[in-house]
Amino acid sequence: MTSRFFRRLWRLLPGSFAAITTLGLTHFGVLTPLEYASYRWVFHLRGALSWDNRIVLVTIDDATLAELGQFPLPRDIYTQLLEQLAASQTIAVGFNILFIEPSPADAALAAAMTQQGNVVMAMGVDSEGQLLMPTAPLQTAAIATGHTFTQLKADGLVHTLEPRAGQQTALGITLAEVYAFTRAPVKLPPLDQPLWVNWPGPLADLPQYSLADVLAGGIDPEAFDEKLVLVGVTATGANAMPTPFDDNPPGNGTLLHATVLDNVLQQRYLRPIDAPWLWGLLLVAMPGVSYALVGQLFRWQLLITAGGLAIWLGVSLLLFYGNYWVPTVGPTFLLGLTGTVTILGQRLRENLALQQLLDDLWQHYRQDTVMLSGQSGTASLVSDDLGNEVRKLVLLAESLGRSQATQTAIAQTAPVGILAVDEHDQVWFCNPLATRWLGLSLGDSLTPVLVPDWLDSKTWQRTRSLLLNGGRVVPLERQHDQTWFELHFERLEGIASPSPMLRQARRSFLVLLEDITHRKSVELQLRVRNEGLESEIQQRAQELEMTNINLQREISERRQVQAELARQALHDELTGLPNRNRFVTRLTELLEKPRTNTTPQFAVLFLDCDRFKLVNDSFGHLVGDALLRAIAKRLRNCVARTDMVARFGGDEFTILLTKIQTPQSATHVAQRMRQRLQEPFFIQDHQIYSGCSIGIVISKPSYKQAEEMLRDADIAMYRAKQGGFGYTLFEPEMHLQVRHSLELETALRQALKRKELSVLYQPIFTLETKQIVGFEALLRWQNSTHGGVSPSQFIAIAEETGLIVPIGEWVLKQACAQLYAWQQNNQLPNSNIFMSVNLSVRQFNDPDLLKRIDKTLRETGLESQYLKLEITESTIIANSELAIKIFQNLKDRGIHLGIDDFGTGYSSLNSLHGFPIDILKVDRAFIQHIGEGQKYLSLVQAISTLARQFDITMVAEGIENEEQSQHLQAIGCRLGQGYFFCPPLDGKTLETRYLMGQNSGRTPT
């Protein structure tokens, strides 16, 4: 057994030696030059690919430097370039140029970058590892920055690129991120591991335009439409960087970043499979290869080795075509060395084994061979010139013949049939009984005799395999004709020699046949007597077995029920996600886990789906449920397997990020979730869009309970929803803001009773004559504790709590009563002056709105044609059918209707022309910038033109100076209001300062 173990161990040695040698050569870098050569080889063998047609280079080439001067160029050149590109619809403009030295021209370049709005600047790393950032004005004006840090291998090529340096992504990846945010989603490569560069082709194949030609206007601006423009130096000798396709002359760093951008856009950056597990698998497999090769014919060994090399090279190249990189030289060398060492080792071992075998035989049979050499004529049969080894073999053969004659005589008289069979299934000895019972002779094959008359094929093959491998075989009983035989199988340990090699060389076994007919007759009688007892025992055993099966089935069913109950208790039935209880339990486990400085942080995200109730109301709950399941699936695909996504209730989800490096990691997940949920859902022939608002809270030692983190995440989510941010990271100040909001809500509930609310009136003037044509009623709150509270604070609270309905009814009554009093006292300059009152979303959706308005007009005595109600555009667009019905009822009463803060609700007059609107108020945000450039003026002018076409009166809000008033008059706007004319005032002050003057013909100041 020990010798067999060492023989098998030796077959593993060539592969082990090759594995250790290859590992050592790889470790000391001996194979590195060959690996570098193979890196170039695979690119040339594959050939050039087509560059992504969204990439364009603007190059600072030799012609540019000859015309504009030596590098670095003045900042004014780049300012001119951006002004040229402003005429094109570029996706983004990336500068592969470091602007780290301040320049007086930075301000102009920064202004051009701001105007462009999509410029990405480069940053570098110096020899000491310090970041080289653009100057402050340029960094502020840029939409993003990307690093240009590269690391050349010993062959002078860039094989990999670090996607992130500090907090900066690579320039090419940054440009891809800009594309993803502005055009279409792009899957980014992992930022925590090197990116393997897949060179598409030479620089000459990449679309590029000389900077000098672009500045001269020689390039059609449409050449840059919907393009990612990369600006960099390609002049000879500048930033030289060889590539597999551009070696002489070499490429440059600009080509590298264009390649990275191409790889990300096309998703064809290389995925390395040069992992430790691959080398471990190869190193472990080589001993198995040598084990399989040992003992094969020489030609088969060569064929297998050559075939393995060809297969590996073919697989490597095929994987490279699929953008996977695997090492070629190391595994090829490993496989070739394994085959070579195995072949040479086997030849050497065979020679040594033959010599050792002859020596062992001679030492063991020396006594017999010496006696034979004394007989006449024996030694003379061997010629002296054949050597001493041949003479020894002749003498040993004579001795073996004498031994065989003796053994044959003994076997002839034995009472059993005896067969001796070698490993090739040939009978090399049989006695008369064996010949008579089996009908075979010397040299016959044993298998056709035994199979199938004596043994079936499977039993014989298993028995023979055990015999040849040293296993023990149990005797077999078979009936042949009317006689029973017992077959014994015994392994022969070779000839009588101390040499273990000789025993290995002659693997044989004995087959002994014994007539057991009498013994079987006795056993049959005993078996008949025991059958009754065995039958009863067997029946009892079957009954016990059935009982045990039923018991196991019952236990299994109970376990399944318990498992299902446990799953239902911890999972949401609709989406299959963990439910609130499971999420709180998991979060509690993380909070209670001891933490150190090295323990990674975790984060909780609270997600609320926007406008989900509208989906339920519009399409039904079946579609709503299907939408929730689709949202759950997308959310689960946005996080790692170690993270948890749970349905918290309704359309709210919570996400637990168990391992984050920085708070930015959590915000990146939130961005990814919002991006995925903004993509359309296709449910039951409906195309549905669903946004979300996300609150983020990061773990810290002060959190002791799960409810605390969930509370803060909920606060942050509502802040994101109110501000329209999409997602918000929780700040401690939000607690104070929430508390302040609750205090304001409490105080607001008592404001009407305490008479803390008041109504101010801001006149609306004609811009040309400065005459008052109407008033806008504005609500103000002066609290005894909080002082003057801004409407932007308490209006939102009133809207959310429903207090806006009684407060709004009170404001409407005050405003109508005030206008009626001015009419009765003849204090108005003309009889057509109207009162404008704002309606909130909650008021507009109030089913008693029309009744409240009728009651107010009846109680105050004001006629309906003097009342104008203003509603924000987002209010009517959210439910246009209901809005049209309410508008028509108000118009039937003679009430004028207006749209307030037009331009902030993401609609247009085109979508509002179906509503019976009389007045359109343009938001102050547009008026404030009307004098800053043609862009804002053109926007307001377009609104004015469309309003005239639809016969709608336009009113400009927030006029603060004479210049704004003149611009508005120039574009045809007739009415306006703002601090330039008059601030909001109470009724008494208006009477004193303005109404008396209007009535007496004076112009207001």
Side-chain angles (χ1 to χ4, degrees):
M1 183 63 69
T2 302
S3 62
R4 187 183 301 112
F5 170 76
F6 282 107
R7 287 198 303 272
R8 293 182 177 178
L9 181 63
W10 182 90
R11 301 180 69 165
L12 302 174
L13 289 180
S16 302
F17 171 79
I20 295 173
T21 302
T22 304
L23 190 62
L25 294 177
T26 302
H27 175 73
F28 290 105
V30 176
L31 300 180
T32 302
L34 296 177
E35 286 288 359
Y36 289 158
S38 70
Y39 183 78
R40 294 173 180 266
W41 172 76
V42 292
F43 280 103
H44 285 287
L45 190 60
R46 182 202 67 188
L49 305 174
S50 298
W51 287 87
D52 192 286
N53 58 12
R54 292 167 285 187
I55 304 174
V56 172
L57 295 187
V58 174
T59 61
I60 305 175
D61 53 4
D62 294 329
T64 299
L65 295 181
E67 181 176 343
L68 302 180
Q70 294 298 319
F71 191 81
L73 299 175
R75 301 284 168 85
D76 297 338
I77 299 297
Y78 305 112
T79 304
Q80 297 177 24
L81 173 61
L82 291 179
E83 292 173 351
Q84 290 284 351
L85 294 178
S88 305
Q89 298 296 324
T90 59
I91 301 174
V93 180
F95 281 94
N96 185 30
I97 302 169
L98 297 179
F99 297 95
I100 60 176
E101 297 295 336
S103 170
D106 280 348
L109 179 56
M113 292 167 58
T114 303
Q115 181 72 17
Q116 186 73 17
N118 59 1
V119 178
V120 178
M121 302 296 292
M123 54 79 61
V125 181
D126 60 15
S127 58
E128 297 180 355
Q130 298 296 324
L131 299 180
L132 303 176
M133 302 298 295
T135 60
L138 302 183
Q139 185 176 356
T140 303
I143 189 174
T145 55
H147 78 80
T148 58
F149 173 68
T150 57
Q151 190 171 7
L152 299 178
K153 295 290 186 179
D155 60 347
L157 300 180
V158 174
H159 294 202
T160 60
L161 182 75
E162 290 296 334
R164 185 188 295 277
Q167 296 298 322
Q168 298 288 332
T169 55
L171 181 60
I173 298 178
T174 304
L175 286 171
E177 289 181 312
V178 174
Y179 180 87
F181 284 124
T182 59
R183 290 300 188 275
V186 175
K187 181 179 180 181
L188 299 179
L191 300 181
D192 57 350
Q193 51 188 277
L195 183 142
W196 280 70
V197 180
N198 186 359
W199 299 95
L203 176 62
D205 294 346
L206 184 60
Q208 51 189 294
Y209 304 100
S210 174
L211 176 60
D213 294 339
V214 177
L215 295 179
I219 307 301
D220 188 353
E222 292 184 358
F224 302 104
D225 286 346
E226 294 302 317
K227 302 292 185 183
L228 292 159
V229 182
L230 186 59
V231 184
V233 181
T234 62
T236 304
N239 196 15
M241 186 177 296
T243 76
F245 298 101
D246 296 283
D247 195 9
N248 189 16
N252 49 69
T254 303
L255 176 60
L256 170 63
H257 297 295
T259 298
V260 173
L261 178 56
D262 171 89
N263 287 178
V264 177
L265 292 177
Q266 294 289 339
Q267 293 294 298
R268 59 185 178 193
Y269 47 85
L270 296 179
R271 280 80 167 176
I273 313 182
D274 189 11
W277 66 264
L278 175 61
W279 273 104
L281 180 62
L282 289 173
L283 294 176
V284 171
M286 285 308 104
V289 173
S290 67
Y291 188 92
L293 286 176
V294 171
Q296 300 287 341
L297 296 177
F298 177 69
R299 63 176 178 273
W300 284 110
Q301 290 176 333
L302 290 179
L303 183 61
I304 292 173
T305 302
L309 293 174
I311 290 174
W312 177 257
L313 293 176
V315 170
S316 300
L317 185 59
L318 185 62
L319 289 175
F320 184 75
Y321 273 98
N323 301 325
Y324 289 93
W325 171 257
V326 294
T328 56
V329 174
T332 302
F333 180 83
L334 175 60
L335 184 58
L337 183 60
T338 299
T340 302
V341 173
T342 302
I343 294 172
L344 294 179
Q346 180 170 329
R347 297 298 172 266
L348 177 61
R349 184 170 178 270
E350 287 175 355
N351 292 334
L352 293 176
L354 289 174
Q355 185 62 44
Q356 182 64 39
L357 177 60
L358 182 58
D359 291 343
D360 290 343
L361 289 173
W362 181 255
Q363 292 296 329
H364 185 67
Y365 296 105
R366 186 174 185 178
Q367 182 74 25
D368 295 338
T369 55
V370 170
M371 293 174 60
L372 285 172
S373 64
Q375 298 177 4
S376 63
T378 303
S380 63
L381 296 175
V382 183
S383 178
D384 293 337
D385 58 357
L386 294 180
N388 189 45
E389 284 75 9
V390 177
R391 185 177 63 86
K392 290 179 179 179
L393 286 174
V394 172
L395 295 176
L396 288 172
E398 293 291 340
S399 176
L400 178 60
R402 292 168 55 90
S403 298
Q404 288 180 339
T406 303
Q407 294 173 359
T408 300
I410 297 173
Q412 298 294 335
T413 60
V416 295
I418 303 175
L419 289 173
V421 187
D422 63 14
E423 59 184 346
H424 302 296
D425 200 41
Q426 287 187 342
V427 177
W428 57 270
F429 176 83
C430 63
N431 67 354
L433 281 179
T435 301
R436 188 179 69 186
W437 287 339
L438 296 177
L440 48 71
S441 58
L442 294 178
D444 291 345
S445 178
L446 179 61
T447 299
V449 176
L450 293 182
V451 178
D453 293 338
W454 293 81
L455 300 173
D456 61 85
S457 179
K458 290 184 178 180
T459 302
W460 170 238
Q461 293 298 331
R462 182 170 61 252
T463 301
R464 187 170 179 272
S465 177
L466 285 172
L467 287 171
L468 295 178
N469 291 287
R472 183 177 178 275
V473 179
V474 177
L476 301 175
E477 295 181 355
R478 291 294 184 271
Q479 185 178 13
H480 195 70
D481 295 334
Q482 299 299 322
T483 306
W484 278 91
F485 293 93
E486 185 174 58
L487 284 73
H488 293 264
F489 301 90
E490 297 292 339
R491 175 181 170 85
L492 286 176
E493 296 296 336
I495 60 176
S497 169
S499 172
M501 290 189 298
L502 186 60
R503 290 196 293 272
Q504 293 174 4
R506 295 190 57 189
R507 293 193 301 174
S508 301
F509 57 89
L510 286 177
V511 181
L512 306 178
L513 285 84
E514 182 182 0
D515 186 347
I516 59 170
T517 304
H518 176 70
R519 189 182 74 187
K520 294 295 294 183
S521 176
V522 175
E523 290 177 352
L524 179 61
Q525 296 177 9
L526 294 175
R527 187 181 304 113
V528 172
R529 295 178 181 179
N530 293 331
E531 281 181 355
L533 180 60
E534 290 178 355
S535 176
E536 184 178 352
I537 294 174
Q538 185 177 7
Q539 182 178 357
R540 291 293 299 162
Q542 290 177 350
E543 293 175 356
L544 291 175
E545 184 178 0
M546 290 301 300
T547 303
N548 185 52
I549 291 175
N550 294 332
L551 180 59
Q552 293 296 329
R553 182 185 299 111
E554 183 179 351
I555 294 174
S556 176
E557 291 175 353
R558 289 186 179 181
R559 288 178 178 174
Q560 290 178 358
V561 172
Q562 292 174 354
E564 179 62 23
L565 291 175
R567 192 195 68 79
Q568 292 178 359
L570 298 176
H571 288 77
D572 176 54
E573 184 177 358
L574 176 62
T575 63
L577 294 176
N579 59 12
R580 178 171 184 165
N581 293 335
R582 180 70 184 94
F583 186 87
V584 171
T585 301
R586 178 66 178 128
L587 180 57
T588 302
E589 292 174 356
L590 285 180
L591 290 172
E592 293 177 351
K593 183 179 180 181
R595 310 188 67 80
T596 63
N597 294 333
T598 60
T599 303
Q601 291 181 299
F602 59 91
V604 172
L605 279 62
F606 200 106
L607 184 146
D608 180 79
C609 299
D610 297 337
R611 301 187 304 167
F612 180 76
K613 184 178 183 299
L614 183 61
V615 174
N616 268 344
D617 295 340
S618 302
F619 303 109
H621 288 281
L622 291 179
V623 174
D625 291 346
L627 177 60
L628 285 177
R629 286 192 292 268
I631 291 174
K633 183 178 180 180
R634 290 191 183 180
L635 293 178
R636 195 66 191 87
N637 292 334
C638 289
V639 299
R641 291 187 176 182
T642 56
D643 301 332
M644 175 182 287
V645 178
R647 185 185 179 198
F648 206 67
D651 60 344
E652 295 178 337
F653 296 86
T654 51
I655 300 93
L656 178 60
L657 306 179
T658 58
K659 293 181 181 180
I660 59 171
Q661 300 298 326
T662 62
Q664 286 73 22
S665 301
T667 60
H668 289 165
V669 174
Q671 291 173 351
R672 185 160 59 248
M673 289 181 173
R674 294 195 72 245
Q675 184 178 4
R676 291 287 289 120
L677 293 187
Q678 287 172 355
E679 298 174 2
F681 293 88
F682 297 93
I683 299 175
Q684 296 184 7
D685 299 330
H686 300 293
Q687 182 174 340
I688 302 174
Y689 290 86
S690 175
C692 66
S693 300
I694 304 175
I696 308 170
V697 61
I698 308 300
S699 63
K700 55 184 179 180
S702 60
Y703 287 118
K704 303 299 181 184
Q705 295 182 351
E707 288 75 10
E708 297 175 352
M709 291 193 71
L710 290 171
R711 175 201 63 200
D712 293 346
D714 191 21
I715 292 174
M717 183 273 293
Y718 275 105
R719 177 57 54 88
K721 184 179 290 290
Q722 292 173 356
F725 307 124
Y727 63 89
T728 299
L729 192 65
F730 176 78
E731 299 290 345
E733 293 78 7
M734 294 181 183
H735 270 310
L736 300 178
Q737 295 171 357
V738 171
R739 183 180 301 174
H740 180 67
S741 177
L742 292 175
E743 292 176 354
L744 287 179
E745 178 185 342
T746 302
L748 185 61
R749 294 183 181 276
Q750 304 296 325
L752 277 176
K753 296 180 180 179
R754 297 176 180 176
K755 298 182 179 181
E756 295 177 348
L757 298 178
S758 62
V759 179
L760 301 184
Y761 306 93
Q762 186 174 36
I764 301 173
F765 293 88
T766 59
L767 299 182
E768 183 177 359
T769 63
K770 306 297 188 296
Q771 296 295 315
I772 296 176
V773 297
F775 299 93
E776 180 179 7
L778 301 173
L779 178 63
R780 295 294 183 266
W781 180 21
Q782 184 69 29
N783 182 257
S784 58
T785 302
H786 300 283
V789 184
S790 171
S792 61
Q793 290 182 297
F794 71 82
I795 292 296
I797 297 175
E799 181 75 23
E800 183 177 355
T801 58
L803 293 174
I804 194 65
V805 175
I807 293 176
E809 184 178 5
W810 178 81
V811 172
L812 180 64
K813 183 178 294 186
Q814 293 294 317
C816 292
Q818 180 64 74
L819 183 62
Y820 181 75
W822 284 336
Q823 290 176 344
Q824 296 301 310
N825 296 331
N826 197 24
Q827 293 178 290
L828 300 176
N830 61 72
S831 60
N832 295 323
I833 290 179
F834 59 85
M835 178 63 71
S836 178
V837 181
N838 293 310
L839 284 183
S840 70
V841 177
R842 185 67 71 92
Q843 286 180 276
F844 192 76
N845 294 327
D846 182 13
D848 296 329
L849 173 64
L850 297 176
K851 293 181 181 180
R852 296 179 189 274
I853 294 174
D854 293 340
K855 178 182 177 183
T856 299
L857 292 176
R858 185 171 58 255
E859 292 179 353
T860 59
L862 183 69
E863 297 182 14
S864 60
Q865 66 265 27
Y866 299 112
L867 175 63
K868 180 172 72 69
L869 298 178
E870 296 183 4
I871 302 97
T872 59
E873 54 181 316
S874 58
T875 303
I876 60 176
I877 292 174
N879 196 341
S880 58
E881 295 182 0
L882 176 63
I884 291 176
K885 182 177 180 181
I886 296 176
F887 269 37
Q888 193 58 52
N889 288 328
L890 293 174
K891 291 293 291 185
D892 293 343
R893 289 168 169 75
I895 299 173
H896 295 280
L897 303 174
I899 300 299
D900 192 19
D901 297 334
F902 180 76
T904 62
Y906 309 104
S907 66
S908 64
L909 281 174
N910 233 5
S911 60
L912 300 176
H913 76 278
F915 298 95
I917 299 171
D918 303 301
I919 295 176
L920 181 70
K921 300 187 76 173
V922 181
D923 189 72
R924 67 182 67 249
F926 298 99
I927 306 303
Q928 289 176 351
H929 300 287
I930 198 172
E932 297 180 5
Q934 185 62 34
K935 179 171 65 174
Y936 298 99
L937 181 60
S938 300
L939 181 61
V940 178
Q941 186 174 8
I943 297 174
S944 176
T945 302
L946 290 174
R948 286 198 302 272
Q949 291 177 355
F950 288 114
D951 195 23
I952 299 176
T953 301
M954 188 178 85
V955 179
E957 292 184 307
I959 302 175
E960 298 181 355
N961 52 57
E962 180 64 31
E963 180 184 5
Q964 296 174 353
S965 177
Q966 292 178 357
H967 280 303
L968 291 169
Q969 292 182 57
I971 64 176
C973 180
R974 294 193 312 103
L975 305 180
Q977 65 184 97
Y979 276 77
F980 174 67
F981 299 108
C982 177
L985 299 173
D986 59 79
K988 295 295 183 182
T989 306
L990 274 174
E991 293 173 6
T992 303
R993 295 184 182 180
Y994 290 90
L995 297 184
M996 293 176 63
Q998 290 280 338
N999 204 21
S1000 61
R1002 297 195 306 267
T1003 301
T1005 58

